[in-house]
Amino acid sequence: MPPPLRFASRHMDRVRRELLKLVGKAAAGTIGCAIVSRNTGAATAPIPGAGAVFDVRSFGTVGDGKAIDSLAINRAIEAAASMGGTVYLPAGRYACYSLHLKSAVSLYLDQGCVIIAADTPRQGTTSGYDPAEPNAPWEAFQDFGHNHWHNSLIWGENIHDVAIFGPGLIWGRGLARGHDDPELPIAEAPGVGDKAIALKNCHNIIFRDLSMLACGHFAILATGVDNLTIDNLKIDTNRDGIDIDCCRNVHISNCSVNSPWDDGICPKSSFALGYARATENVTIANCYVTGGYEVGSLLDGRFKPFPDTNHGWQPTGRIKCGTESNGGFKNITIANCVFESCRGLALETVDGGIMEDITVTGVTMRDIRNAPLFIRLGSRLRGPTGIPVGTLKRVLISNVTCNAPLNDMPSIIGGVPGHAVEDIKINNCSFLHRGGGTAKMAALQPSKRPSDYPEPARFGPLPAQHFFIRHARNLEFNNVELRAVAVDARPSFWLSDVSSLDLMHVKLPSGIGPTVSLNNVSDFRALANRGLKDVSIEGPISQMQL
């Protein structure tokens, strides 16, 4: 028999406060809240200011971490959907397969609540998680994980007005992560789940105050979701943290993400919906991203660094727009964020999408392991036949400090022949690199790799110390300080096929070679810099060292 339906007063007060955050004070006098029993339909303990509350214990959950509780929780969700309300999960360990979100239903995970992704055999099972629904004929245009949503711990499709919130934990213990991990199930196998939360074609969604641990391929995958708020999440995971794909009006704030093996916060714009849809009107603010700590040690507060045994390994953990970029990115703001022990900021459009009107400000980077800034227009063009190369323009980066004494890779700003990156402004920034580059490195002529997967390491060693810029026009650097730990033979700026670039009030390090290398450059000006004399060049210059 399920336990009696009761709330301690402190639990009720907490739920009431959290629900009021969602419904707003204006609703307090007009909406009532009640705890509803599935068996009797009786309502008790009204809470002013919210809808009905459905305690999962009255629907048959065990909460011991062994019994599978997904059927009982899904019954509670169905009951809540019939009238609108909140499904309440008190302290307990709820082993689950797929949970089905419904419109006008919230899930509240109380302190001590853990939703655990139940285990499945490595080769799959006839029971377990919901099957991966077909997504033909678009499946060739993105990875397996992006093509399916139902094979998840928690999922919803074509729903609206949904929230998951509270101080509880979602632990993806039994989820596949998509890499060939012998200790986890195979993602493509039947009955296997590979995402903690997946949404498709939804609107008015809130995730708030949750903790998430080891969540498979994605902790959160939102595709075609509008009016999405993600606030105050702690995510400590073994692949992607938050992926926002083809979404509009998205606010991600106050989140901490440790994701050593993949990206932390990642807007995308794939072809998974069967058409190109931009990700637009997005703010990412007051967030911390890292890839430098063992999974689990962010949540438990140990912050245990990985041992220095994988020399040359570059933990991921960054904020990145891309790689999937069919629909493009518009009106994106990244503000007041901290990067630590991870790769740098990446802005990529390589599948025909338009990237424009991007603002990055107030970013602190420490122990960055590759290009601090990677701004890439490419021609991979993974999508329907005949799509043209996209555009990348109007990017403003300001008030960024990067302290990367172990990194010898420059920032990369690059298009492809005939398709330049445009209108890039970098102001009030400071970059410290390791230095130590040789004259041999300074003489390199890197291949262009227009159709490659866009990743800084694929360019190999580069002939620039701080900025490698190719196929670009209308750039401005103002009040930028460039430093190095060791003397470097490479120029701070290496430019090729660049037109209209201004360097103003830039502090350049002293070295044993030139500070700027010009290769097929026109309309170049340097004014009031330290380490570089004033110069103005109008016509095209095939090659010059300054």
Side-chain angles (χ1 to χ4, degrees):
M1 295 289 293
L5 183 61
R6 293 174 183 163
F7 281 99
S9 62
R10 65 180 182 275
H11 292 313
M12 292 298 299
D13 289 343
R14 185 183 303 116
V15 174
R16 178 181 183 277
R17 288 194 299 269
E18 295 298 332
L19 293 176
L20 284 172
K21 289 180 184 178
L22 296 178
V23 302
K25 293 181 180 179
T30 60
I31 302 176
C33 173
I35 290 77
V36 178
S37 166
R38 177 176 62 94
N39 297 322
T40 67
T44 61
I47 304 175
V53 176
F54 298 77
D55 188 324
V56 296
R57 293 172 296 187
S58 71
F59 292 84
T61 58
V62 178
D64 64 355
K66 298 176 182 178
I68 300 299
D69 283 324
S70 40
L71 288 175
I73 295 174
N74 280 327
R75 286 195 294 266
I77 293 172
E78 289 282 356
S82 67
M83 59 186 298
T86 296
V87 173
Y88 174 74
L89 290 92
R93 295 167 65 85
Y94 304 92
C96 293
Y97 295 121
S98 296
L99 301 178
H100 308 145
L101 298 174
K102 302 292 183 181
S103 294
V105 175
S106 297
L107 304 185
Y108 181 81
L109 282 59
D110 207 346
Q111 193 72 256
C113 165
V114 184
I115 296 178
I116 303 171
D119 298 323
T120 58
R122 177 167 168 77
Q123 301 298 328
T125 176
T126 55
S127 58
Y129 298 89
D130 293 345
E133 73 280 27
N135 199 30
W138 323 117
E139 294 183 0
F141 303 145
Q142 47 276 320
D143 297 340
F144 177 83
H146 281 289
N147 275 310
H148 312 285
W149 296 265
H150 296 184
N151 56 334
S152 303
L153 174 60
I154 303 170
W155 68 268
E157 183 174 358
N158 296 316
I159 59 173
H160 59 86
D161 299 290
V162 170
I164 305 177
F165 65 114
L169 172 69
I170 297 172
W171 179 17
R173 184 186 68 188
L175 297 176
R177 59 192 290 261
H179 289 169
D180 191 18
D181 189 328
E183 297 181 0
L184 292 173
I186 299 169
E188 296 82 0
V192 170
D194 70 346
K195 291 170 279 286
I197 300 174
L199 297 173
K200 180 183 181 184
N201 290 331
C202 305
H203 63 273
N204 301 346
I205 307 296
I206 299 173
F207 301 130
R208 179 174 287 147
D209 299 336
L210 304 165
S211 294
M212 304 184 74
L213 173 65
C215 290
H217 193 164
F218 303 100
I220 297 174
L221 173 64
T223 308
V225 177
D226 297 341
N227 303 335
L228 171 63
T229 298
I230 300 175
D231 181 55
N232 194 35
L233 268 56
K234 294 185 289 293
I235 299 175
D236 201 347
T237 192
N238 46 0
R239 274 206 67 185
D240 282 59
I242 302 169
D243 276 37
I244 304 302
D245 189 7
C246 306
C247 297
R248 296 182 301 192
N249 194 28
V250 178
H251 304 287
I252 303 172
S253 58
N254 308 309
C255 294
S256 298
V257 183
N258 178 45
S259 56
W261 290 284
D262 223 314
D263 300 307
I265 301 174
C266 193
K268 295 176 180 285
S269 56
S270 73
F271 212 82
L273 296 175
Y275 64 98
R277 188 181 201 251
T279 288
E280 57 186 322
N281 306 332
V282 176
T283 62
I284 302 171
N286 307 324
C287 291
Y288 168 69
V289 292
T290 180
Y293 299 101
E294 293 187 1
V295 173
S297 68
L298 181 148
L299 286 181
D300 67 17
R302 292 177 299 132
F303 289 91
K304 184 178 180 181
F306 281 98
D308 188 20
T309 54
N310 296 327
H311 299 288
W313 177 56
Q314 298 176 350
T316 317
R318 63 191 163 189
I319 297 174
K320 179 179 84 169
C321 290
T323 300
E324 288 79 7
S325 47
N326 301 90
F329 307 91
K330 303 175 182 178
N331 300 341
I332 312 291
T333 293
I334 301 168
N336 302 332
C337 292
V338 174
F339 291 58
E340 182 188 31
S341 301
C342 60
R343 302 180 193 181
L345 172 69
L347 304 175
E348 307 168 358
T349 178
V350 298
D351 295 323
I354 294 171
M355 177 178 284
E356 60 186 17
D357 302 320
I358 314 296
T359 299
V360 179
T361 187
V363 171
T364 299
M365 299 180 174
R366 292 180 63 88
D367 188 28
I368 297 303
R369 303 298 181 88
N370 69 2
L373 304 175
F374 183 58
I375 303 174
R376 177 62 166 164
L377 170 62
S379 55
R380 182 179 70 164
L381 304 180
R382 188 166 72 164
T385 318
I387 58 175
V389 177
T391 61
L392 196 164
K393 56 187 176 182
R394 297 196 298 275
V395 177
L396 175 62
I397 298 173
S398 63
N399 301 312
V400 172
T401 177
C402 175
N403 183 33
L406 300 179
N407 175 51
D408 61 4
M409 181 179 292
S411 292
I412 299 170
I413 302 173
V416 294
H419 301 275
V421 172
E422 305 175 67
D423 311 328
I424 311 296
K425 296 183 183 297
I426 298 178
N427 303 314
N428 302 321
C429 297
S430 174
F431 298 90
L432 170 69
H433 290 198
R434 180 169 65 185
T438 64
K440 183 178 180 181
M441 293 174 67
L444 292 171
Q445 294 290 327
S447 59
K448 298 184 178 181
R449 302 180 178 276
S451 59
D452 274 15
Y453 183 89
E455 184 61 45
R458 299 201 175 199
F459 285 80
L462 293 171
Q465 184 179 170
H466 290 100
F467 282 91
F468 175 85
I469 304 173
R470 184 163 56 185
H471 308 306
R473 65 171 175 261
N474 192 23
L475 298 92
E476 176 186 296
F477 293 79
N478 188 21
N479 292 325
V480 174
E481 182 176 10
L482 306 176
R483 296 181 294 143
V485 175
V487 174
D488 200 305
R490 298 172 296 172
S492 284
F493 290 88
W494 188 94
L495 315 177
S496 176
D497 186 22
V498 173
S499 63
S500 187
L501 186 146
D502 291 344
L503 302 180
M504 298 179 292
H505 300 99
V506 176
K507 293 183 180 179
L508 296 125
S510 58
I512 56 176
T515 55
V516 179
S517 176
L518 307 178
N519 306 273
N520 188 23
V521 172
S522 62
D523 193 13
F524 172 86
R525 292 189 304 168
L527 301 172
N529 301 296
R530 292 197 176 186
L532 177 64
K533 293 181 179 180
D534 289 359
V535 63
S536 180
I537 299 171
E538 300 295 335
I541 297 293
S542 60
Q543 191 169 30
M544 179 182 288
Q545 309 290 324
L546 300 174

